[in-house]
Amino acid sequence: MAEMMPHTHIIGTGSSIPNRILSNKDLESIVDTTDEWITRRSGIKERRISSKEAEESTTDLTTQASLKAIEMAGVSPKNLDMIVVGTVTPDRQFPSAACMVQEALNAQNGMAFDVSAGCTGFLYALSVADNAIRSGTCGTALVVGVERLSTILNWKDRGTCVLLGDGAGAVVVASTREKGGILSSHLKSDGSFWELLYSYYGNSYTPEILQGIDIKPFQLSMDGNRLFKQAVKCLSSIANEALEHNSISSDDIGLLVPHQANIRIIKAMAKNLRVPMERVYTNIHKYGNTSSASIPIALDEANREGLLSKGDYVLLVSFGAGLTWGASIVRWSI
Ligand code: UT7
């Protein structure tokens, strides 16, 4: 019976941001760029760069963000049935970032795995946890978006290295009979556009071929201009799909929390959806594009700043490598 189905509520949020700030001014001495260009074209003023030595590995950032979310949720790590991490920059090819954090949290009672969906990784991960809760497989889950894109950037490519940054965000979701929480998730991908955003190399290349090449493996490549146009189109249509599915209008949205890729993309989407910028959360000026971490970091900051009230409709919407894109509507529970 539909009313007997459990609902998935977000009961805790957390985030972790590396200490080191790299400003646009700093970047002027690294590549041929200006603060003015970066600010005007992207809205970014500074970003955070992690360091393993400063205990800011992917596992460290994930653990710190998770502990804050777990504390807010008031659950024990032992009660986590699932840890699912959206990332393309785990510390190791394997085991997963999720298994690494499972050990760090001493949360060995459930399953742990990663989801690779580019910047949409967090929304994919959230949907996996939501489905597990609705089906009754899982009672409590930790969902994380974490990225250390600084480790895979080509620091000679001004078209990409000025845009991205590092960080982690987490939520704890739990099953309750109370209506609300995650109302629906809408996920899409189109692999025919993969060349718009990808990393060079990987397992399809033999180690020999890397010898003598003056570039780091896994460097990120992006066709920003074509990506921009796809982003605005896909974000607007998936957000509309989510609104229509729940029979709510953009006037009902308390806060739109979009992936933070470019302030111009965010403004164009908000305009298409007719959501005024006062109801759109942005922190891109501080952190740049942190890929799968951007939505959970923004959600945690909005939550801790008191911008979300119980019962508010929150629209999460993201777009990234794959191409992947998605939207979720959440009836806020905290
Ligand atoms: O996270 C999800 C995936 N990411 C995205 O969705 C990002 C989508 N794309 C974007 O955000 C924008 O396309 C960018 C910010 C990457 C670029 O903005 P744009 O308005 O599309 O600029 P453009 O790529 O068309 O480049 C314009 C000019 C070029 O020079 P010419 O050919 O006009 O002489 C570039 O070489 O700007 C030049 N340029 C730069 N100039 C100064 C590119 N990067 C820089 C730079 N500083 N950092």
Side-chain angles (χ1 to χ4, degrees), residues 261-322:
N262 186 316
I263 195 70
R264 292 186 292 137
I265 293 177
I266 294 173
K267 284 184 176 167
M269 173 191 48
K271 194 172 168 212
N272 286 347
L273 296 175
R274 290 191 211 88
V275 177
M277 283 305 287
E278 300 77 62
R279 285 194 278 122
V280 181
Y281 193 83
T282 61
N283 57 13
I284 188 169
H285 56 289
K286 294 191 288 183
Y287 306 136
N289 177 350
T290 58
S291 184
S292 60
S294 84
I295 287 182
I297 293 172
L299 204 54
D300 180 50
E301 292 196 339
N303 186 26
R304 288 174 195 266
E305 286 165 23
L307 299 177
L308 300 169
S309 305
K310 198 169 176 173
D312 281 356
Y313 287 108
V314 185
L315 172 58
L316 312 176
V317 57
S318 191
F319 174 87

Side-chain angles (χ1 to χ4, degrees), residues 174-190:
S175 165
T176 75
R177 297 280 158 197
E178 199 184 320
K179 281 191 175 162
I182 299 170
L183 300 185
S184 67
S185 292
H186 307 260
L187 302 175
K188 293 260 172 20
S189 58
D190 185 347

Side-chain angles (χ1 to χ4, degrees), residues 32-329:
D32 179 17
T33 192
T34 59
D35 173 34
E36 190 276 330
W37 190 96
I38 303 170
T39 308
R40 184 164 44 84
R41 299 276 178 146
S42 72
I44 301 165
K45 293 299 284 182
E46 56 189 43
R47 72 286 294 139
R48 301 298 177 103
I49 305 296
S50 58
S51 133
K52 236 180 135 195
E53 291 65 44
E55 301 194 343
E56 293 169 344
S57 68
T58 295
T59 306
D60 294 328
L61 292 171
T62 305
T63 305
Q64 289 149 18
S66 301
L67 283 172
K68 290 179 194 164
I70 287 168
E71 189 190 8
M72 186 184 290
V75 299
S76 159
K78 297 261 181 248
N79 292 339
L80 295 174
D81 303 312
M82 177 187 278
I83 300 174
V84 52
V85 177
T87 189
V88 296
T89 48
D91 286 330
R92 293 180 170 78
Q93 179 94 19
F94 64 88
S96 63
C99 282
M100 300 297 287
V101 76
Q102 187 182 33
E103 191 221 5
L105 295 172
N106 200 9
Q108 279 84 344
N109 285 337
M111 63 182 116
F113 57 95
D114 291 355
V115 166
S116 171
C119 302
T120 322
F122 176 75
L123 289 189
Y124 270 64
L126 189 66
S127 168
V128 170
D130 179 31
N131 285 327
I133 285 176
R134 283 173 194 256
S135 70
T137 326
C138 174
T140 307
L142 173 68
V143 183
V144 182
V146 58
E147 226 66 83
R148 291 182 72 215
L149 289 169
S150 65
T151 62
I152 60 162
L153 287 178
N154 175 357
W155 287 94
K156 291 177 183 163
D157 176 15
R158 67 177 182 172
T160 54
C161 75
V162 305
L163 301 172
L164 299 142
D166 303 340
V171 300
V172 174
V173 288
S175 165
T176 75
R177 297 280 158 197
E178 199 184 320
K179 281 191 175 162
I182 299 170
L183 300 185
S184 67
S185 292
H186 307 260
L187 302 175
K188 293 260 172 20
S189 58
D190 185 347
S192 65
F193 286 107
W194 72 267
E195 281 177 297
L196 295 189
L197 181 55
Y198 64 95
S199 79
Y200 286 103
Y201 308 113
N203 295 335
S204 58
Y205 284 75
T206 59
E208 283 81 6
I209 212 164
L210 299 177
Q211 286 169 15
I213 294 178
D214 184 28
I215 46 174
K216 282 166 75 184
F218 308 123
Q219 274 180 1
L220 181 142
S221 167
M222 183 174 89
D223 183 341
N225 206 269
R226 285 181 61 206
L227 206 50
F228 188 107
K229 289 170 193 141
Q230 284 297 327
V232 175
K233 200 169 77 181
C234 295
L235 288 165
S236 306
S237 83
I238 202 82
N240 271 322
E241 184 181 313
L243 291 169
E244 276 165 28
H245 180 88
N246 291 288
S247 305
I248 57 177
S249 91
S250 53
D251 292 341
D252 300 321
I253 295 299
L255 198 66
L256 168 57
V257 181
H259 170 48
Q260 313 279 312
N262 186 316
I263 195 70
R264 292 186 292 137
I265 293 177
I266 294 173
K267 284 184 176 167
M269 173 191 48
K271 194 172 168 212
N272 286 347
L273 296 175
R274 290 191 211 88
V275 177
M277 283 305 287
E278 300 77 62
R279 285 194 278 122
V280 181
Y281 193 83
T282 61
N283 57 13
I284 188 169
H285 56 289
K286 294 191 288 183
Y287 306 136
N289 177 350
T290 58
S291 184
S292 60
S294 84
I295 287 182
I297 293 172
L299 204 54
D300 180 50
E301 292 196 339
N303 186 26
R304 288 174 195 266
E305 286 165 23
L307 299 177
L308 300 169
S309 305
K310 198 169 176 173
D312 281 356
Y313 287 108
V314 185
L315 172 58
L316 312 176
V317 57
S318 191
F319 174 87
L323 296 179
T324 57
W325 62 102
S328 293
I329 296 189

